[in-house]
Amino acid sequence: MTLDPAVKELLARSAPPEAPATPPTAAELRAAFAASWRRPEKVEPVASVTDHVLPSGVRVRVYLPRVSGPVPAFVWIHGGGWTIGSIDENEVASRTVCNVAKVAVVAVDYRLAPENPFPAAPDDCYAVVEWLARGGAGDAVDAARIAIGGESAGGNLSTVVSMMSRDRRGPELAAQVLICPVYAHPDDGFGSYVDFADGFGMTAGAMRFFFEQYVSDPAQLDDPYLLPLRASDLTRLPPALVLTAEYDVLRDEGEEFARRLAEAGVKVEMTRYSGQIHGFYGLYTDLSASPRSHRHVANFLTRVFG
């Protein structure tokens, strides 16, 4: 399919300025991203939104739907190349999923690289799952029913946490939601890195930059907890919903991982969003595909939790 006309317009509006003489630092990118993000003027109401700080220091934000009785938890991990982003950026998606699926959305404010390189981010996210399983979110949340999901780096972390929980005999996760996830390195030879290297929002160069921030030792690139496509064993992982974008450098690795999961006996549902770019789910919520994808995720969770 050709590029969605709304995406074309978005890309034309957001064309990057001439590159600066000195590449920006991670801190400068983080500040620029925070300054550019604006909370939507109208957000869907939910029953409550509360912030919590775990004993480890990790901050989470819990969105509760207007229903009686304890509800399942959906741990949400934001994207940003493990380097930028925050729990604030996915307000629209979090609220829709909360209401439609009738789940508690638990957004994670994990530590960012390069100040906190791998494995700080997965350790923080796993700590949140353990906290939920111990009943840390209170009586309104069912500590026995937990799913996990995220976009981009958040999709990567969702699978990593699923693997950690399996390997450590930790909390059993009901599902993983993986949206435009990162599972491989830019040098791994996937065709989408060539086809969509520039001009479609997320670039191959940006992904290289993010890896440089996140990875302190090149030997870590062989660690399945950093890149799950390195894993020799993908069995006994939670059922997965995988959403990819047609015009995304990460498209091919996400779809390859979905195939690998299915070969390992994991139940997988995969959809490629035609005409879309990286970020269509949580960042570019004015795109018509965005609310459609929110309901896609919510309907999947509704089926998972019955």
Side-chain angles (χ1 to χ4, degrees), residues 65 67 72-74 96-104 145 147 174-175 177 241 267 269 294-306:
V67 295
F74 177 47
T96 298
V97 171
C98 173
N99 283 331
V100 175
K102 296 180 174 57
V103 296
R145 294 193 293 167
V177 174
L241 173 67
K267 186 177 180 180
E269 297 180 26
H294 303 163
R295 290 188 173 271
H296 191 161
V297 169
N299 291 336
F300 171 76
L301 292 173
T302 299
R303 295 197 307 275
V304 164
F305 290 123

Side-chain angles (χ1 to χ4, degrees), residues 147-162:
I148 193 167
E151 184 174 24
S152 192
N156 166 282
L157 292 168
S158 298
T159 291
V160 170
V161 170
S162 298

